[in-house]
């Protein structure tokens, strides 16, 4: 039996570490004193060892722990001694630095930034059983897609003997012989019928392949690896669809990459027959062949482009020439490059007129103007919509608006296609109030257009300010 050393023979801790806290010195002293006393400790039994072993998820199957009861007293003494010294080491580490906590936020596998929670807008995974099924389906399709993407690339690098003449990609569907299809269907069918999820696994998607790579990993690392697999599978599903679409429309993309390079085949066929013209107006300037000259095209003299007066850093939209307000060239988004001016002006005038009526109506109701009747009293302008729906007035109101829309739609298409003489936004109402002088009429139309644009901005601001200020009325002071 080892004799415990006297206090005089034990080195004083404070002499060696003068700056060490008192708690640290006590821990080291206790560890040193515990080492010789370990000889009195008997060997633990197999049952105790099995109870003290930490329990964690077995990634290869059920736990098969076989503890041996042949431990000797010397082994137990060494273990207890090391435990004592380990406690001292932990105390030193605790005194030197604060304990480090795991910085991995525990979530559900497959959930990652920017989605920080379950994303299921259609409620497909409303129950645990459905969620388990869709999880297995997603992982399965992702794994198949990852193999398929690799299968698009590998035949250009390596082919099995006897498969040199088979086409790659979608071409394989027509080049593989019948016996090849039998082998493929048999292999996939065998996998679907006989390969089942393993007992005690992580889910129905856990078929037991490759789980030895997960032995001993932490829960955070396991969750990270599962998320990586799902994200790669999601990307592969999109990737294989893109490969197949491009293969069907333009040919095998991997072979095209080898032949034509990263940028693909030349695309000059798109523009080679387009005339060399400048100007979207009614009389564009086009380069023509000069008679008796070897030069096939005559170069146009470069002139500075005309800029928009309303937005000076943008080019003037030539298509607005002849339209009311066109001289200001206001089209910052270039909408008239994509849509006919007749369509755009029709929509602009209609929205401007509605916005002017809405602005006047909002201000009037905020100042106390109401239709006669009890149902129109006692609520704010913001509450008017819901109150009118509850009172049953919105139905006839929408029916009236629909009747006007049908009439205006008929007028629009008749005027746009030239079957009737009609300007954009002209509903043949109030034209007798316009001035007889053409220049004054143009100015009046311009005022309507600009007031409508201002009203659209004003009504948007009124609605926003009324809601943000908690129900304050106009002028929101």
């Amino acid at each position: 039996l080892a004799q415990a050393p006297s206090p005089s023979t034990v080195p004083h801790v404070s002499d060696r570490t003068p700056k060490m806290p008192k708690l640290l010195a006590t821990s080291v002293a206790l560890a040193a004193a515990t080492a010789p006393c370990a000889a009195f400790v008997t060997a633990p039994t197999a049952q105790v060892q099995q109870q003290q072993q930490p329990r964690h998820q077995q990634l290869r199957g059920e736990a098969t722990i076989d503890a041996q009861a042949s431990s000797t007293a010397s082994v137990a003494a060494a273990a207890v001694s090391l435990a004592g010294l380990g406690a001292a080491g932990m105390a030193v580490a605790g005194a030197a630095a604060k304990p480090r906590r795991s910085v991995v936020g525990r979530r559900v596998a497959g959930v990652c930034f920017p989605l920080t929670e379950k994303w299921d807008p259609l409620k497909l995974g409303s129950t645990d059983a459905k969620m388990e099924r869709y999880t297995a389906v997603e992982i399965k399709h992702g794994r198949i897609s990852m193999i398929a993407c690799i299968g698009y690339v590998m035949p250009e690098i390596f082919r099995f003997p006897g498969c040199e003449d088979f086409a790659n990609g979608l071409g394989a569907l027509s080049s593989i012989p019948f016996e090849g299809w039998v082998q493929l269907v048999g292999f996939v069918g065998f996998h679907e019928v006989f390969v089942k999820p393993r007992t005690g696994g992580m889910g129905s998607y856990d078929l037991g392949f490759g789980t030895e790579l997960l032995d001993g990993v932490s829960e955070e690392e396991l969750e990270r690896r599962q998320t990586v697999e799902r994200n790669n599978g999601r990307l592969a599903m999109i990737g294989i669809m893109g490969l197949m679409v491009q293969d069907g429309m333009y040919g095998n993309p991997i072979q095209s990459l080898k032949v034509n390079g990263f940028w693909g085949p030349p695309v000059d066929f798109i523009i080679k027959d387009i005339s060399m013209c400048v100007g979207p107006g009614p009389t564009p300037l086009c380069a023509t062949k000069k008679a008796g000259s070897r030069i096939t095209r005559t170069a146009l003299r470069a002139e500075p482009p005309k800029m928009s007066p309303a937005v000076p850093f943008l080019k003037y939209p030539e298509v607005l020439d002849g339209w009311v307000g066109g001289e200001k060239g206001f089209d910052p988004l270039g909408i008239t490059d994509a849509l006919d001016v007749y369509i755009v002006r029709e929509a602009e005038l209609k929205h401007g007129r509605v916005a002017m009526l809405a602005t006047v109506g909002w201000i009037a109701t905020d100042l106390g103007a109401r239709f006669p009747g009890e149902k129109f009293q006692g609520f704010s302008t913001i509450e008017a919509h819901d109150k009118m729906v509850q009172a049953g007035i919105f139905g006839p109101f929408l029916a009236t608006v629909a009747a006007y829309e049908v009439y205006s739609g008929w007028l629009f298409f008749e005027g746009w296609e030239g079957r009737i003489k009609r300007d954009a936004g002209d509903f043949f109402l109030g034209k007798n109030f316009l001035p007889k002088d053409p220049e004054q009429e143009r100015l009046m139309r311009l005022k309507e257009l600009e007031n409508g644009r201002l009203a659209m901005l004003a009504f948007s601001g009124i609605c926003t300010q009324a809601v943000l200020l908690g129900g304050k009325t106009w002028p929101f002071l």
Side-chain angles (χ1 to χ4, degrees):
L1 297 178
Q3 182 179 2
S6 62
S8 60
T9 62
V10 179
H12 200 274
V13 177
S14 60
D15 296 338
R16 301 179 59 186
T17 54
K19 296 182 180 181
M20 187 177 297
K22 184 182 295 185
L23 178 61
L24 174 60
T26 304
S27 300
V28 176
L30 289 176
T34 304
C37 296
F40 296 96
V41 182
T42 59
T45 63
Q47 181 178 4
V48 175
Q49 289 180 357
Q50 185 171 358
Q51 290 177 354
Q52 292 180 350
Q53 183 171 354
R55 300 183 62 185
H56 59 275
Q57 184 180 12
Q58 299 297 317
L59 297 176
R60 293 193 185 183
E62 287 86 0
T64 56
I65 302 174
D66 295 329
Q68 300 296 331
S70 60
S71 301
T72 61
S74 59
V75 174
V80 176
S81 301
L82 292 175
L85 294 175
M90 293 173 62
V92 173
K98 294 182 179 180
R100 296 180 61 186
R101 297 183 180 180
S102 175
V103 297
V104 179
R106 299 310 312 280
R107 302 183 300 273
V108 179
V111 177
C112 59
F113 186 82
L115 300 178
T116 57
E117 58 184 7
K118 176 182 175 182
W119 188 76
D120 186 14
L122 299 181
K123 305 298 181 182
L124 298 178
S126 55
T127 63
D128 292 341
K130 290 182 179 180
M131 195 64 195
E132 174 70 18
R133 176 179 176 273
Y134 283 115
T135 299
V137 169
E138 180 190 30
I139 295 176
K140 184 175 184 179
H141 284 79
R143 291 168 177 171
I144 294 174
S145 298
M146 287 188 281
I147 296 174
C149 288
I150 296 175
Y152 249 95
V153 178
M154 286 305 298
E156 302 298 328
I157 304 173
F158 166 80
R159 290 177 182 265
F160 289 105
C163 301
E164 292 84 359
D165 297 332
F166 294 161
N168 185 17
L170 295 182
L173 301 177
S174 57
S175 61
I176 297 180
F178 175 76
E179 53 270 23
W181 282 108
V182 172
Q183 296 178 44
L184 287 175
V185 173
F187 176 77
V188 175
F190 178 85
H191 186 281
E192 289 291 330
V193 174
F194 294 101
V195 178
K196 301 296 182 182
R198 67 182 177 88
T199 305
M202 292 176 285
S204 58
Y205 52 86
D206 185 359
L207 304 178
F209 299 127
T211 53
E212 62 273 3
L213 301 176
L214 303 178
D215 284 344
V217 301
S218 63
E219 294 183 358
E220 290 85 355
E221 177 63 16
L222 177 62
E223 174 190 304
R224 188 193 69 83
R225 294 186 184 184
Q226 289 177 312
T227 302
V228 168
E229 180 191 26
R230 297 195 193 181
N231 285 339
N232 290 338
R234 292 161 182 166
L235 179 61
M237 286 188 277
I238 299 176
I240 191 60
M241 286 190 291
L243 287 171
M244 290 191 295
V245 170
Q246 188 170 352
D247 194 348
M249 297 180 64
Y250 307 107
N252 191 296
I254 307 301
Q255 295 176 354
S256 176
L257 189 64
K258 291 178 57 179
V259 176
N260 300 306
F262 182 80
W263 299 107
V267 294
D268 58 345
F269 67 92
I270 300 176
I271 60 172
K272 65 179 183 179
D273 296 324
I274 298 178
S275 303
M276 297 175 59
C277 298
V278 173
T283 57
L285 302 177
C286 297
T288 58
K289 183 177 180 180
K290 188 175 181 179
S293 173
R294 295 180 181 178
I295 303 175
T296 57
R297 298 287 180 180
T298 302
L300 296 174
R301 178 172 297 182
E303 296 182 359
K306 182 180 179 182
M307 307 306 290
S308 169
V311 191
F313 55 86
L314 295 179
K315 291 184 179 180
Y316 176 77
E318 301 284 348
V319 293
L320 294 182
D321 281 340
W323 292 85
V324 175
E327 66 278 0
K328 297 187 177 182
F330 182 78
D331 186 14
L333 299 181
I335 298 177
T336 53
D337 294 338
L339 298 176
D340 190 85
V341 182
Y342 190 94
I343 302 175
V344 176
R345 181 53 55 87
E346 178 83 17
E348 185 179 27
L349 286 173
K350 178 180 287 188
H351 285 82
R353 291 163 182 170
V354 172
M356 286 189 284
L357 291 173
T359 302
V360 174
W362 191 293
I363 295 174
T365 52
D366 273 3
L367 294 178
R370 294 289 190 277
F371 285 111
E374 185 64 27
K375 63 178 66 176
F376 300 110
Q377 314 300 324
F379 51 86
S380 65
T381 310
I382 300 177
E383 301 170 337
H385 174 272
D386 295 342
K387 295 295 184 180
M388 293 301 98
V389 172
Q390 296 173 5
I393 297 178
F394 239 63
F397 175 76
L398 292 179
T400 304
V401 173
Y404 283 118
E405 287 295 327
V406 171
Y407 172 65
S408 65
W410 177 80
L411 286 177
F412 166 73
F413 284 106
E414 291 292 315
W416 185 34
E417 296 175 1
R419 289 193 287 265
I420 63 174
K421 186 179 179 181
R422 174 184 180 269
D423 296 331
D426 185 4
F427 295 100
F428 305 101
L429 297 174
K431 294 182 68 175
N432 54 319
F433 294 104
L434 290 175
K436 304 303 180 182
D437 182 59
E439 181 62 22
Q440 294 298 322
E441 178 184 355
R442 189 190 67 82
L443 291 176
M444 186 65 68
R445 291 178 181 271
L446 180 61
K447 291 178 180 179
E448 179 191 29
L449 182 65
E450 293 182 339
N451 288 335
R453 292 169 178 172
L454 178 61
M456 286 187 279
L457 296 174
F459 186 72
S460 301
I462 288 175
C463 294
T464 303
Q465 194 165 357
V467 174
L468 292 179
L469 294 181
K472 283 189 176 181
T473 60
W474 187 88
F476 310 110
L477 300 177

